[in-house]
Amino acid sequence: MKARIIPIVRTVRATLPPGRDLVAPPEGALVDLRGRRVRDLRISVTDRCNFRCVYCMPKEVFGDDYAFLPRSKLLSFEEIVRVARVFVDQGVEKIRITGGEPLLRKHIENLIEQLAKLPVELTLTTNGSLLRKKARALKDAGLHRVTVSLDGIDDAAFKRMNDVDYAVGDVLDGIEAAAEVGLAPIKINCVVKRGSNDDQILPLARHFRHSRHILRFIEYMDVGSSNGWCMDEVLPSADVVARIGQEFPLEAIDANYPGEVAERWRYTDGGGEVGVISSVTQAFCSSCTRIRLSTEGQLYTCLFAQSGHDLRALLRHGNGDEALRREIAAVWRGRDDRYSEIRTAATSLPGGKIEMSYIGG
Ligand code: SAM
Ligand code: SF4
Ligand code: SF4
């Protein structure tokens, strides 16, 4: 097996963009067909959300009659922890809880408390609406930090993006609550959709300069089949950096670790840092170490996958951890995904791709 993997690792390295190196996997580590380790596990704990962000859960598709998963199909906390433990044994070092809106899952702090016993970095991505209510319980349960999505700083612009009339002030208050209890450093993620919220780039940058929070801009992606994505609505990260740089000079800084997806920039006047994630214009598949567990226990090796691997059936039919371990290893070893590197107008057409709110962002 090894003889086959090593040349592939070399090929992958040769195609890595500058500054993005693949860490050599330790002896015996689980690696996929492109020499990538499994390192990050994203767990979706609900497919429901109280927002209807236009690029993620458009109202026309996710309306009042939308059939969300029934409770019986959701993985229980015990099942999630079992899968997570096996993943950690296989090399996972980071776990991110996501959704849908993860803070809508009842007693989410109980899951956090269990996962916090594992030797991993434990984070959660949220729209921030329930953070004021939940921050203390999450911190006490052992959560390390949060990432908050925020697509505008002007109230009207933010409401246009969340499409449920949710006020920006309440999310800012949630961010404050998270900071007060020490769920830091807090990352603030803004998805930029050209023509919808790109007028928010500078106001957001002005707002979060000199804060302790790290603002990052993400290119709008063709995830799922319902958002009507088209390339014209993607604003390249290079333009985001140029726009900010015109008002506040920026200089590039090194990645925190090899394979970090965000490109980091620093305000030269000491105003802190800002990041960009160029999922569309500068694919980072060659260093992608992420795997996703959906709300109902399907395992997806790529955000753009069209099908998953059913772990819930394994869990619910009396199989032991060894069977789980074998299945997970087989799935990762057979992984060859690199969607963002081979994206074309044809691959991004609607049809069959899993929704972000289901698979977990
Ligand atoms: N509800 C939580 C939130 O919004 O933070 C967690 C789940 S959400 C699916 C996770 C992340 O995916 C959010 O930051 C969201 O902005 C991002 N996202 C959703 N659809 C996207 C798309 N089409 N392109 C880029 N990012 C997207
Ligand atoms: Fe909900 Fe997050 Fe999707 Fe917005 S991005 S609709 S908050 S799941
Ligand atoms: Fe990873 Fe798939 Fe995204 Fe590429 S497209 S970075 S393989 S999740």
Side-chain angles (χ1 to χ4, degrees), residues 240-268:
V240 173
V241 172
R243 285 193 197 184
I244 300 173
Q246 265 180 5
E247 184 164 327
F248 308 109
L250 290 167
E251 61 188 7
I253 46 178
D254 288 343
N256 284 308
Y257 51 88
E260 184 176 29
V261 297
E263 194 182 285
R264 300 171 66 209
W265 294 81
R266 173 167 54 207
Y267 297 109
T268 53

Side-chain angles (χ1 to χ4, degrees), residues 44 47 69 99-100 294-296 298 300 354-360:
S44 172
D47 58 338
L69 291 169
S294 81
T295 315
E296 56 176 340
Q298 295 278 323
Y300 291 92
I354 311 294
E355 297 300 326
M356 185 84 131
S357 53
Y358 167 84
I359 196 172

Side-chain angles (χ1 to χ4, degrees), residues 49-53 55-57 99-101 127 149 357:
C49 188
N50 53 345
F51 284 16
R52 286 291 175 274
C53 301
Y55 54 78
C56 179
M57 294 180 81
E101 174 45 45
N127 63 24
S149 305
S357 53

Side-chain angles (χ1 to χ4, degrees), residues 62-348:
F62 295 88
D64 290 342
D65 55 349
Y66 186 83
F68 289 101
L69 291 169
R71 206 182 156 70
S72 61
K73 292 208 166 169
L74 270 50
L75 287 192
S76 68
F77 288 170
E78 290 70 26
E79 289 169 330
I80 292 174
V81 172
R82 237 189 102 190
V83 174
R85 199 175 288 128
V86 173
F87 264 111
V88 172
D89 287 346
Q90 308 256 58
V92 159
E93 294 167 359
K94 287 187 183 179
I95 294 181
R96 177 173 296 280
I97 304 300
T98 178
E101 174 45 45
L103 299 187
L104 288 180
R105 179 85 186 248
K106 268 201 190 124
H107 309 302
I108 184 71
E109 56 280 10
N110 295 350
L111 174 65
I112 299 289
E113 193 174 2
Q114 292 302 311
L115 293 175
K117 294 177 186 155
L118 299 172
V120 289
E121 186 187 342
L122 185 60
T123 63
L124 177 143
T125 302
T126 173
N127 63 24
S129 59
L130 295 169
L131 259 182
R132 172 55 71 186
K133 211 151 102 192
K134 290 273 189 182
R136 170 48 65 195
L138 292 169
K139 176 71 181 174
D140 290 348
L143 187 69
H144 294 150
R145 47 183 191 80
V146 288
T147 296
V148 182
S149 305
L150 183 68
D151 299 323
I153 197 76
D154 297 341
D155 202 43
F158 183 62
K159 285 179 174 167
R160 259 199 321 276
M161 295 303 282
N162 67 54
D163 213 13
V164 291
D165 218 27
Y166 201 87
V168 74
D170 291 344
V171 176
L172 294 176
D173 183 52
I175 293 171
E176 202 42 51
E180 281 162 19
V181 301
L183 286 169
I186 298 174
K187 291 181 179 155
I188 313 288
N189 280 356
C190 170
V191 173
V192 181
K193 193 172 171 197
R194 195 204 289 264
S196 298
N197 70 334
D198 55 321
D199 62 342
Q200 293 299 296
I201 294 170
L202 276 169
L204 277 163
R206 289 181 199 123
H207 183 90
F208 286 105
R209 265 165 51 80
H210 295 289
S211 75
R212 297 145 291 168
H213 316 318
I214 302 166
L215 176 64
R216 303 169 336 154
F217 293 95
I218 303 176
E219 289 176 350
Y220 170 43
M221 290 185 281
D222 51 330
V223 198
S225 305
S226 62
N227 62 11
W229 184 91
C230 74
M231 192 63 196
D232 292 349
E233 290 172 332
V234 179
L235 184 77
S237 294
D239 293 18
V240 173
V241 172
R243 285 193 197 184
I244 300 173
Q246 265 180 5
E247 184 164 327
F248 308 109
L250 290 167
E251 61 188 7
I253 46 178
D254 288 343
N256 284 308
Y257 51 88
E260 184 176 29
V261 297
E263 194 182 285
R264 300 171 66 209
W265 294 81
R266 173 167 54 207
Y267 297 109
T268 53
D269 68 354
E273 79 174 77
V274 66
V276 287
I277 302 179
S278 316
S279 341
V280 176
T281 60
Q282 218 194 331
F284 34 78
C285 300
S286 52
S287 56
C288 177
T289 53
R290 287 180 292 282
I291 193 158
R292 292 176 160 86
L293 181 66
S294 81
T295 315
E296 56 176 340
Q298 295 278 323
L299 204 53
Y300 291 92
T301 55
C302 179
L303 188 51
F304 300 92
Q306 293 192 306
S307 62
H309 305 264
D310 191 3
L311 287 193
R312 191 185 59 197
L314 263 185
L315 286 163
R316 294 195 179 167
H317 290 126
N319 292 281
D321 284 357
E322 182 50 28
L324 259 183
R325 196 194 61 74
R326 275 200 307 270
E327 177 67 9
I328 287 169
V331 167
W332 189 264
R333 289 202 173 106
R335 177 185 191 244
D336 194 27
D337 305 280
R338 55 185 195 105
Y339 177 86
S340 289
E341 286 180 354
I342 56 174
R343 174 187 286 110
T344 63
T347 59
S348 64

